[in-house]
Every structure is written in C-alpha cells, then in structure tokens.
Amino acid sequence: GAVVSQHPSWVICKSGTSVKIECRSLDFQATTMFWYRQFPKQSLMLMATSNEGSKATYEQGVEKDKFLINHASLTLSTLTVTSAHPEDSSFYICSAQSASGETEAFFGQGTRLTVV
Amino acid sequence: AQSVSQHNHHVILSEAASLELGCNYSYGGTVNLFWYVQYPGQHLQLLLKYFSGDPLVKGIKGFEAEFIKSKFSFNLRKPSVQWSDTAEYFCAVNARAAGNKLTFGGGTRVLVKP
C-alpha cells in the first residue's frame, strides 16, 4: 500500500512554544490530508481536513488559530501547534488520500507530543 | 452527522478462539465501511473495507466482516485468533455525501493469551 510518513515520531516541548509536525505522502500525490488527535485509551478524533492549495476545514471545537494547518503541495501537509500547553499533549495522526480518487486513506505512524 | 459505536472496549481470549467485534453506525445515507488495526507501537493499518457489492468482505490475516444494512452493522470476525492478533481494532465509517472524512468508533482492545 501507499506510504505516509510523519515527522517527528515524538517531540517534547516547553509550554508556550510552537511545534510543527509534518505529514508526507511518499509514493503518491494526496489532494486531501486529514489530521486526527488520539487521547490515551480513546479513539481518533478528526481535527481538520486539509486540501492542497486551500484553507483547511476544521471540525467543531478545534481552534484554527492554535492548530495551524498548511497543505502547500500534493505530498506535504503540516500541523503547527502554537503556544503549546500541557493539555495539548496527545498523539497526533495524519492520513492522506490519493489524488486518483481512491477513497481509502493511508495513515502516518503518528506523533506523540508532550508539553512540559 | 454520522457516529460509530463499538460495543466492546476490551476483549480477552485464548489462542484458537473465535473473535467477533461489533460495530454499529448511525447514518441514513450511503456509507463506506472500514476496519483498521493498530498493533502495539505501530500505526493504523487497513484490515478490510466495504464500498459496495457482496456484503461479506474478506480482509487480510484471515479477518472478514459482514455489512448488514438493515441493522446498520459491520461486525468483524476471525474464526481462530493467534497471539499476534493482539491489537486495538477500530471500525470507521465514511459517509459518501460528507466527502472522505472518516468517523471512528471508540476502538476495541483485543488481548490474545498464548
């Protein structure tokens, strides 16, 4: 199957700083990428849908000014957690959908963010 | 809005036992249905999917799922589990009218005792 890579796999940052997480589709072009958040022992919650070349669509309750999403190319989307706080500590997962129209989404390995 | 419910949070069983994980969704329109697995320390992997056609879908590693439209269900089954099936399993639904957003169930942690 197609490969989606997230970087970094884990990051620890100080409260108040910003952290950028990258999501790359390695062997296909992704017109749409999705960002999820997974709390311990809970399911994935969709945060936003990122479309190449346009603004992201955020789910209800997700602060767009706090979670900045950029999808500047067909193989890269980034999520920046701005002014991070300990409650932002979580597992962030991206998925990417092929530009060919295949409806299956391929997932990255996730990024564990710890804010201290 | 669509929602997905997985009935069991935790399942513990012995090797060679049969496994069935329940999944129900609420959405009145046409849906695509998925089961994903997350092995310890690994990322989500697709087990199987249903878009249309035969409601009994066979996936990888001996898993299958049956879509019962009248019951809004998509239960996952495996006749004989192995220790390596220890993982968390997620049911997901994508309402075709809502684009390609996936809504996940709460997940079921399966522990297979050797």
Side-chain angles (χ1 to χ4, degrees):
Chain A
V3 179
V4 175
S5 176
Q6 266 183 256
H7 179 80
S9 298
W10 59 272
V11 57
I12 302 173
C13 70
K14 290 185 177 180
S15 188
T17 62
S18 295
V19 174
K20 181 184 283 189
I21 302 170
E22 294 185 347
C23 178
R24 293 181 185 273
S25 57
L26 297 185
D27 50 4
F28 68 101
Q29 293 184 325
T31 48
T32 306
M33 290 186 174
F34 302 89
W35 287 96
Y36 295 86
R37 186 171 178 177
Q38 186 179 27
F39 290 102
K41 299 184 180 180
Q42 294 188 32
S43 188
L44 286 78
M45 299 298 295
L46 180 66
M47 298 175 66
T49 303
S50 168
N51 293 301
E52 186 266 338
S54 63
K55 290 183 178 180
T57 303
Y58 290 82
E59 295 300 300
Q60 195 171 11
V62 178
E63 298 175 60
K64 61 181 180 181
D65 294 329
K66 181 166 188 60
F67 298 100
L68 300 179
I69 291 172
N70 182 276
H71 193 161
S73 78
L74 284 172
T75 59
L76 174 64
S77 175
T78 60
L79 167 68
T80 301
V81 183
T82 62
S83 186
H85 290 284
E87 57 265 31
D88 297 325
S89 298
S90 190
F91 196 56
Y92 294 87
I93 303 173
C94 75
S95 73
Q97 204 132 16
S98 169
S100 68
E102 173 60 59
T103 55
E104 178 181 344
F106 301 95
F107 287 82
Q109 72 271 38
T111 298
R112 185 162 300 286
L113 170 63
T114 302
V115 185
V116 298
Chain B
Q2 64 222 41
S3 66
V4 182
S5 174
Q6 290 181 239
H7 313 306
N8 309 97
H9 295 293
H10 291 92
V11 172
I12 302 174
L13 60 167
S14 300
E15 275 193 314
S18 64
L19 173 70
E20 179 160 0
L21 302 181
C23 172
N24 285 88
Y25 67 93
S26 64
Y27 184 73
T30 304
V31 295
N32 298 321
L33 299 154
F34 306 81
W35 274 98
Y36 284 89
V37 61
Q38 189 173 31
Y39 297 104
Q42 297 187 28
H43 59 95
L44 281 167
Q45 299 173 40
L46 181 69
L47 267 182
L48 47 78
K49 60 188 176 185
Y50 172 81
F51 290 164
S52 64
D54 188 345
L56 184 61
V57 180
K58 294 194 183 298
I60 60 172
K61 305 187 181 188
F63 285 91
E64 65 178 31
E66 184 175 13
F67 171 48
I68 303 179
K69 189 174 181 179
S70 61
K71 295 185 177 180
F72 297 89
S73 70
F74 190 55
N75 292 354
L76 181 71
R77 297 193 291 255
K78 184 168 183 178
S80 176
V81 294
Q82 300 172 310
W83 175 79
S84 57
D85 293 321
T86 294
E88 187 156 17
Y89 294 81
F90 294 95
C91 180
V93 171
N94 152 234
R96 296 183 196 175
N100 295 314
K101 294 194 298 185
L102 282 173
T103 300
F104 284 84
T108 300
R109 285 179 179 263
V110 174
L111 172 63
V112 180
K113 298 184 295 183

